[in-house]
Amino acid sequence: GAGVSQSPSNKVTEKGKDVELRCDPISGHTALYWYRQSLGQGLEFLIYFQGNSAPDKSGLPSDRFSAERTGGSVSTLTIQRTQQEDSAVYLCASSFGTATEAFFGQGTRLTVV
Amino acid sequence: KNQVEQSPQSLIILEGKNCTLQCNYTVSPFSNLRWYKQDTGRGPVSLTIMTFSENTKSNGRYTATLDADTKQSSLHITASQLSDSASYICVVSAQAAGNKLTFGGGTRVLVKP
């Protein structure tokens, strides 16, 4: 596609359930970022993939959060045993190489009830 | 620790007036600095991207400046319009760590008629 695509756009889940959020980056982009944004707050870094390098997981808030990027393209962010504080908009961005423009998806709004 | 600080956190301006947003960073070694605009409920959209050698860059009514010596940047909005109401986010990229992006907390701008 022409831009970064995220799915689903909205997800409501019950506390304790697992969820998977998907990000389709722009074709050819080697860098992929996951961020989350709580209501009225700034962007919080979660994880960063760059080419074949080991991902930078320094922003993952707990071991309930994990992400993978298969074949250097699509990425999935998994949250296990969701908690209410996980409710936020999860944004994905991709860029081509380094020092270039990063494009964001529209985000997945996760609500844990 | 790499940090990006923005000020003010929020401001209200009258339509047609100008305003300037500030960004201070400690990211090192510096690669580039970006300003993004984020409308409510949408993903951030890039306004400008500047490297070390660039002092100013314009995008329509938006003009960004960069002083790499003092590690400061500003975003000036000229003749504000109602559609400028959004959050403006300063993002700095480091040469190390694979150019991971560090986000500021954003400045929320509200333009009133």
Side-chain angles (χ1 to χ4, degrees), chain B residues 5-104:
Chain B
E5 302 284 343
Q6 290 189 242
S7 62
Q9 285 191 331
S10 63
L11 79 149
I12 300 173
I13 58 173
L14 293 177
E15 185 178 14
K17 298 296 185 182
N18 304 335
C19 68
T20 300
L21 316 179
Q22 300 292 339
C23 173
N24 297 335
Y25 62 92
T26 60
V27 175
S28 181
F30 174 82
S31 177
N32 61 72
L33 184 146
R34 312 144 189 244
W35 282 95
Y36 282 85
K37 177 186 178 186
Q38 185 177 22
D39 293 308
T40 300
R42 309 295 297 269
V45 175
S46 176
L47 294 176
T48 65
I49 178 171
M50 290 185 291
T51 59
F52 183 88
S53 60
E54 296 176 291
N55 301 118
T56 184
K57 183 166 281 190
S58 291
N59 178 358
R61 294 179 296 101
Y62 300 102
T63 299
T65 65
L66 173 64
D67 186 335
D69 292 330
T70 61
K71 297 186 177 181
Q72 296 180 326
S73 175
S74 66
L75 180 69
H76 187 76
I77 305 175
T78 303
S80 60
Q81 300 178 358
L82 297 179
S83 59
D84 293 332
S85 295
S87 288
Y88 293 84
I89 306 168
C90 176
V91 183
V92 183
S93 175
Q95 290 183 8
N99 271 46
K100 188 178 78 177
L101 304 179
T102 301
F103 282 72

Side-chain angles (χ1 to χ4, degrees), chain A residues 33 35 37 40-43 45 48 50 56 58 91 98-102 104-106 109, chain B residues 31-32 34 36 38 41-44 46 49 89 93 97-101 103-105 108:
Chain A
Y33 308 81
Y35 293 87
Q37 188 171 34
Q41 302 298 311
L43 284 154
F45 167 73
Y48 167 54
Q50 173 61 52
D56 178 349
S58 60
L91 288 162
T98 58
T100 58
E101 186 58 67
F104 283 82
Q106 294 301 304
R109 182 176 298 278
Chain B
S31 177
N32 61 72
R34 312 144 189 244
Y36 282 85
Q38 185 177 22
R42 309 295 297 269
S46 176
I49 178 171
I89 306 168
S93 175
N99 271 46
K100 188 178 78 177
L101 304 179
F103 282 72
R108 196 164 302 168

